[in-house]
Amino acid sequence: MDIKRRARNLYQKYQTSCPFTIAKKLGITTMYLDLPDGVKGYQDRVLRRKIIVINQNIPEEEQRFVCAHELAHFRLHKDFSHYFITRHTRFPLGLYENQADEFATYLLTASEERGIDEPTEWFLARCGIPTEMSRYVM
């Protein structure tokens, strides 16, 4: 699975790297709720409707990354549910979470050019991406 290509294709199709705009164009409802500490967001399907729920208590910049991450689950892991995987299988969730982080990083950097001598941390900060995602920036 070429995650970088899939993120770039989505950017090119909608001419934006804004995950909120893309989610809206894909018919995905975005909701902001007061979620427990440690829960930044999740995605779900309710009666065939796709929903991204984001913790309203985290900073806006982080909400943007969370939205891109949850959008990635819809695009990359269509037939998988976090709850089903943890309760009924022995699949490692880390793989799916890493793929979603990678997709979100590529999507949010799709419209930005990295400066020749720009440090990775600065580039990620400028794009609103947590610095721990630096492993995905080439």
Side-chain angles (χ1 to χ4, degrees):
M1 173 183 329
D2 189 345
I3 294 171
K4 183 175 184 176
R5 190 184 83 221
R6 293 183 73 178
R8 299 285 175 167
N9 286 346
L10 195 61
Y11 164 73
Q12 289 174 343
K13 180 175 183 176
Y14 294 106
Q15 294 296 298
T16 184
S17 61
C18 177
F20 301 107
T21 302
I22 294 171
K24 186 175 183 176
K25 290 183 180 205
L26 290 171
I28 300 170
T29 302
T30 304
M31 299 172 59
Y32 301 88
L33 298 176
D34 186 13
L35 298 176
D37 290 340
V39 178
K40 295 180 181 182
Y42 62 91
Q43 55 88 16
D44 203 358
R45 287 180 179 83
V46 179
L47 301 174
R48 294 190 194 171
R49 293 204 46 127
K50 296 177 182 177
I51 299 171
I52 292 175
V53 179
I54 300 172
N55 190 334
Q56 67 186 13
N57 301 313
I58 60 177
E60 281 185 41
E61 195 169 86
E62 194 170 358
Q63 289 178 0
R64 186 171 176 261
F65 185 82
V66 170
C67 185
H69 175 97
E70 300 306 334
L71 182 61
H73 284 303
F74 278 124
R75 303 301 289 183
L76 303 176
H77 313 127
K78 293 176 183 166
D79 299 324
F80 297 107
S81 162
H82 179 278
Y83 302 106
F84 180 81
I85 292 170
T86 56
R87 289 192 174 88
H88 302 289
T89 73
R90 295 184 189 267
F91 293 152
L93 272 176
L95 172 66
Y96 298 114
E97 295 304 311
N98 290 338
Q99 288 176 343
D101 284 344
E102 183 179 359
F103 182 96
T105 301
Y106 287 133
L107 179 64
L108 295 175
T109 58
S111 63
E112 298 292 330
E113 289 290 325
R114 184 174 175 187
I116 295 170
D117 294 328
E118 183 177 22
T120 301
E121 294 77 24
W122 292 8
F123 177 64
L124 292 175
R126 186 165 51 85
C127 297
I129 299 170
T131 56
E132 57 267 21
M133 298 303 132
S134 62
R135 65 181 175 255
Y136 304 118
V137 179
M138 304 296 177

